[in-house]
Amino acid sequence: MNAILTGPLALASRRLHCWRYMSAVALHNNLMPSRRQQNQNNNHNLQISRHMAGHNKWSKIKRKKAANDVARARDHTKAARAIEVASRSCQGDMADISLQSAVAAARAVQLPKERIEKAIER
């Protein structure tokens, strides 16, 4: 089984065996990082640079939230003004159709009850 090789084939066999053995020893002793460790290090570096650049989830949420808040404020203001105009024309009488429709429109855009009442008083 353990035949001794001679010639160029023996030299190539010894080099291959020696390289495999040395790399296995180096991996075992943590001298040479494995492919998995290299990938983890690369991913870690990407995460650090990504966070350093300010591109994170909160930035995206913040921008969307700001746009939604502006649109909601615009709708609330329009609904409150419509209630004020209708209330002035009918002197605050809730039986008036225009005031009822303005209040219904305000409720559709989820205007708070307190703001509806203040708009009617104005």
Side-chain angles (χ1 to χ4, degrees), residues 6-76:
T6 58
L9 186 60
L11 187 60
S13 174
R14 279 190 219 124
R15 283 185 186 155
L16 182 63
H17 175 72
C18 182
W19 178 82
R20 283 184 182 160
Y21 175 75
M22 291 302 290
S23 64
V25 168
L27 281 173
H28 178 70
N29 293 333
N30 290 330
L31 299 175
M32 194 168 94
S34 66
R35 291 274 185 212
R36 186 176 187 182
Q37 290 172 341
Q38 288 175 353
N39 289 340
Q40 287 174 350
N41 289 342
N42 289 342
N43 291 341
H44 179 68
N45 291 339
L46 288 175
Q47 289 173 354
I48 288 173
S49 64
R50 182 181 60 135
H51 291 300
M52 296 281 287
H55 301 291
N56 58 12
K57 194 172 182 179
W58 170 242
S59 296
K60 293 177 185 175
I61 292 171
K62 183 172 57 175
R63 289 187 183 100
K64 286 181 183 177
K65 190 173 172 56
N68 289 340
D69 289 347
V70 167
R72 181 180 296 144
R74 187 182 326 117
D75 293 341
H76 283 196

Side-chain angles (χ1 to χ4, degrees), residues 1 26 47 92 103 111 117:
M1 292 290 240
Q47 289 173 354
V103 169
L111 189 70
E117 291 170 356

